Amino acid sequence: MSQVTTTDLYEVTMALSYLREDMRGRAAFSLFVRDLPPGRGFLVAAGLEPALDYLSRFRVGRSDVQDFADTLRRPVGDLEPLHGLSFDGEVRAVPEGRIVLAGEPLLEVTAPLPQAQLVETYLLSLLCHQTAVASKAARCVLAAAGRPLVDFSLRRTHGPEAGGQAARLCALVGFAGTSNVAAARRYGIAAAGTMAHAYVEAFGSEERAFRAFARTHPGPVALLVDTYDTDRGVATAARVFKDLRLGPGCGIRLDSGDLGALARRARTVLDGAGLEEVRIIASGGLDEYGVDRLVREGAPIDAYAVGTKVGTAADAPYLDMAYKLVEYDGRPVMKLSSAKATAPGPKQVFRGPGFRDVVGLAHEDPPGDAEPLLRTVMRGGLRTEPPDTPAAARERFERDLAALPEEARRIERPVPPVPAVSPRLTALTTLVRHRIETRTGAGRTAAG
Amino acid sequence: MSQVTTTDLYEVTMALSYLREDMRGRAAFSLFVRDLPPGRGFLVAAGLEPALDYLSRFRVGRSDVQDFADTLRRPVGDLEPLHGLSFDGEVRAVPEGRIVLAGEPLLEVTAPLPQAQLVETYLLSLLCHQTAVASKAARCVLAAAGRPLVDFSLRRTHGPEAGGQAARLCALVGFAGTSNVAAARRYGIAAAGTMAHAYVEAFGSEERAFRAFARTHPGPVALLVDTYDTDRGVATAARVFKDLRLGPGCGIRLDSGDLGALARRARTVLDGAGLEEVRIIASGGLDEYGVDRLVREGAPIDAYAVGTKVGTAADAPYLDMAYKLVEYDGRPVMKLSSAKATAPGPKQVFRGPGFRDVVGLAHEDPPGDAEPLLRTVMRGGLRTEPPDTPAAARERFERDLAALPEEARRIERPVPPVPAVSPRLTALTTLVRHRIETRTGAGRTAAG
């Protein structure tokens, strides 16, 4: 499907109207998350790289115009003003991997109104999902406290494409690998995997299955030990490792039951067989809560595979993310409607030490030694710098994570830092609100 | 990315091992949901059509073999046995749109073991997500009780591809339209949309914005009335409709606040202006719970737009779906491990009147007047019938929904029917469990 037509119909009807009404002035839209979901002390900005690819390629072609016309049941000539429209605006954004908070713009678009409007839906569809998944995965990294994590989510993500992104985002926050072969190739991630219960069942005996697997795959192997009875499976694996003189780099995988207790017993058996180097990998319905419990109880688990709950960000599968007009043709604008009021004007986030963030206007001077988070990443529709690298994004994430206050890092009941609003932004908000209320009469209803 | 390499690495290492060990016997895998998530009284089978497309096209090409070799860091010659492997097996499945329950196979694959194994991950990635979303959307249809529903989810689904599927699945269970233009074109769904707050803000005045929109779009329009103050917005919309002699087919959209109360006041204003035919559309964070509350309180809302929570199946974003080996080379197999035991053998679901379902063996005779749910949809890797139509799927859904017991249809605390297990399947399960326990010693640990 065309990326151009993968949009909400109203973007098209509005863009057409802007063109017909000659409203081609520069518009600034701000993309941000209104509130963090419960259970999140921070968000990890993600989705920018695919978003810039999308904007770079955006162009309304002949067949898109035809599709719009057919959808609206109007003559194709009526939609002609949209033909050839591409994105030639400016984008300021927080690079992937940086930690962001509620109310902080992740991305701002400044472009002629029709094009800035047309790209809304697709941008949100990329950034909302990817920021949600990266933020969940980041909490697994905290919970694992240095132990390697592997992404096993592909089979239950929202389709294969979402699975590819989940692998990318897990790697971005520091996962050691993914089970997803295509994503591993595409994003340069290590691929990892063991075997399924089906493999053991097809051979009908764990021992035959383990020996066959080792024959096919010389070198380190990981054996799944819980198909029938885990303790016996561990003993069988230990015997096969010993017989075949395997050990370093090998592992066993526990996928069900009381993972902590099973791991302790497995460790004893393996150590007793002189297999101190065989690692124990745990999987099965884990996310940061499960990993945290196992780590805190001291389970001798060397690596964690997390899947479904992380790849779907199951406890917060969406974010309250919006793309709001904040300025049109030099005039700051805002929405007043109940509980969803937005602050006017293009913005910047100034990060002080210890996450003392201030959201201010784009052209304010940074207060003191604060660091501005949004950078100009696209100008005239072209990237201003070469595509970001996963390593750079991961480094940014690790630096931000290290600086994050303890209460935001907590697994249970985290408390996110709350950014301050600069005096100049506060003043502008008051001014614009007053202007709108005077002009529209809004506010008076509530006031009396 | 190649659909063939979009898979878990272990499918590849297992398939290679099967080929090397000459384990090419026929394997039967059963795909089913172990337990329903809380808040679900039933599931709607979905994802089969894309799954059959995938299986029809599946073929391990030269570049896939190279990717596998690079991923495993092995010489390409080691992976050569996989080259050219395609899917030429049989698929029995529940057609899209049918209502299914916990433990009922949605799909069974019978094929030579290596190929049946290789397709696992991708099949799950399609069916798990799509069944989850279709099931959530179906509950919205119940809540709306005949009122039209529109899908607005694209901006917050797990990427644009998931958004396209959400539109398709919403239409499958009876939604009237989608905001997603590409999906509307592709799947023959009506496209719908109004305008965003940005549109009103860019004009700086609701009246100017509404008049401009009507100029660009002759014919019925829907106006968004909550940018500044909803009551005033409604009054302005009414004035514009009157002035421009619009009415039939037009609407106003409420997107925030107390939708029921606002709708009642809006209805009064519209009716007072002789605009009885102008419809009220509600949106803003709705799913089946919100729609149900509004319908039960008698809110004069004519159509509901649901988005984020439905497109992400937010309260149950994944299903506990598995793809389990149930037979290999004529020998029924099962997994015993804790709490995840699976029943052996290829199966059939026999549906009796009132959802008295029985899960039995594939070759049992249907008990009495029960209807078998799984049909043979692929044989020798080819579809046995032309692709399904959305209309046919929708008709199946509506027929099943009408027969579903009341307690399963409930929005709050639904109670799903529990399928029975046929005596022959129970006997086979007991027999296979006994055989495995005797052979492996499993079970004895727990027993003593």
Side-chain angles (χ1 to χ4, degrees), chain B residues 81 83 115 135 144 174 177 199 233 283 315 328 359 440:
Chain B
H83 185 211
Q115 48 182 272
S135 303
Y199 185 83
S283 63
D315 59 340
Y328 177 62
V359 178
T440 66

Side-chain angles (χ1 to χ4, degrees), chain A residues 1-2 4-10 12 66-73, chain B residues 150-154 160-161 163-172 175-193 390:
Chain A
M1 289 193 275
S2 155
V4 169
T5 61
T6 302
T7 189
D8 289 322
L9 180 63
Y10 80 175
V12 181
Q66 185 68 55
D67 278 347
F68 292 152
D70 291 345
T71 303
L72 289 166
R73 298 175 193 202
Chain B
V150 179
D151 156 51
F152 272 13
S153 66
L154 175 58
E161 296 83 3
Q165 287 303 329
R168 182 179 85 86
L169 300 165
C170 285
L172 192 154
F175 278 37
T178 179
S179 63
N180 181 336
V181 176
R185 298 307 305 152
R186 179 163 178 180
Y187 301 115
I189 308 166

Side-chain angles (χ1 to χ4, degrees), chain A residues 298-310:
Chain A
I301 293 169
D302 302 287
Y304 290 91
V306 300
T308 304
K309 290 180 187 165
V310 178

Side-chain angles (χ1 to χ4, degrees), chain B residues 67-98:
Chain B
D67 278 347
F68 291 152
D70 291 346
T71 303
L72 289 166
R73 299 177 193 200
R74 293 183 64 170
V76 70
D78 285 5
L79 279 296
E80 195 52 33
L82 290 166
H83 185 211
L85 192 145
S86 62
F87 183 80
D88 58 18
E90 178 181 304
V91 178
R92 296 161 50 253
V94 179
E96 290 195 315
R98 292 222 66 164

Side-chain angles (χ1 to χ4, degrees), chain A residues 1 5-14 16-18 20-21 23 29 34 67-68 70-71 74 113 117 120-122 124-126 128-129 154-162 164 179-183 185-186 191-199 201-204 212-213 215-218 226-229 231-232 253 255-257 308-309 311-312 314 317-321 324-325 328 331 333-338 340 436 439-445, chain B residues 1 5-14 16-18 20-21 23 29 34 67-68 70-71 74 113 117 120-122 124-126 128-129 154-162 164 179-183 185-186 191-199 201-204 212-213 215-218 226-229 231-232 253 255-257 308-309 311-312 314 317-321 324-325 328 331 333-338 340 436 439-445:
Chain A
M1 289 193 275
T5 61
T6 302
T7 189
D8 289 322
L9 180 63
Y10 80 175
E11 313 289 12
V12 181
T13 52
M14 289 189 287
L16 182 63
S17 191
Y18 294 144
R20 286 284 181 80
E21 299 287 323
M23 291 185 59
F29 282 85
R34 277 182 280 238
D67 278 347
F68 292 152
D70 291 345
T71 303
R74 293 182 63 168
L113 181 57
Q117 184 75 66
E120 172 182 28
T121 305
Y122 206 93
L124 282 169
S125 196
L126 295 174
C128 186
H129 157 229
L154 175 59
R155 62 186 53 205
R156 299 223 190 89
T157 52
H158 285 194
E161 296 83 4
S179 63
N180 182 335
V181 176
R185 298 308 306 153
R186 178 163 178 180
T194 62
M195 60 180 56
H197 299 107
Y199 185 83
E201 289 160 353
F203 284 89
F213 201 78
R215 269 196 300 276
T216 306
H217 301 286
D226 74 335
T227 304
Y228 303 120
D229 174 285
D231 293 312
R232 285 174 189 271
R253 177 161 73 103
D255 187 48
S256 58
T308 304
K309 290 180 187 165
T312 61
Y318 65 89
L319 299 170
D320 186 19
M321 188 181 274
K324 288 292 164 192
L325 182 67
Y328 177 62
R331 170 173 56 84
V333 303
M334 65 187 288
K335 178 175 136 190
L336 297 184
S337 58
S338 43
K340 283 188 178 179
I436 294 171
R439 198 179 58 236
T440 65
R444 277 183 240 154
T445 310
Chain B
M1 288 194 277
T5 61
T6 301
T7 188
D8 289 323
L9 180 63
Y10 80 174
E11 312 290 12
V12 181
T13 52
M14 288 190 287
L16 183 63
S17 191
Y18 293 144
R20 285 285 182 81
E21 300 286 324
M23 289 183 61
F29 282 84
R34 277 182 280 238
D67 278 347
F68 291 152
D70 291 346
T71 303
R74 293 183 64 170
L113 181 57
Q117 184 76 65
E120 172 183 28
T121 305
Y122 206 93
L124 282 169
S125 196
L126 295 174
C128 186
H129 158 229
L154 175 58
R155 62 186 53 205
R156 301 224 189 88
T157 51
H158 286 194
E161 296 83 3
S179 63
N180 181 336
V181 176
R185 298 307 305 152
R186 179 163 178 180
T194 62
M195 60 179 55
H197 298 107
Y199 185 83
E201 289 160 352
F203 283 90
F213 200 78
R215 269 196 300 277
T216 305
H217 301 286
D226 73 335
T227 305
Y228 303 121
D229 175 285
D231 293 310
R232 285 173 188 271
R253 175 160 74 103
D255 187 49
S256 56
T308 304
K309 290 179 187 166
T312 62
Y318 65 88
L319 299 171
D320 185 19
M321 188 181 273
K324 289 293 165 190
L325 181 67
Y328 177 62
R331 171 172 56 85
V333 304
M334 66 187 287
K335 179 175 136 191
L336 297 185
S337 58
S338 41
K340 285 187 177 179
I436 294 170
R439 198 179 60 235
T440 66
R444 277 181 240 154
T445 310

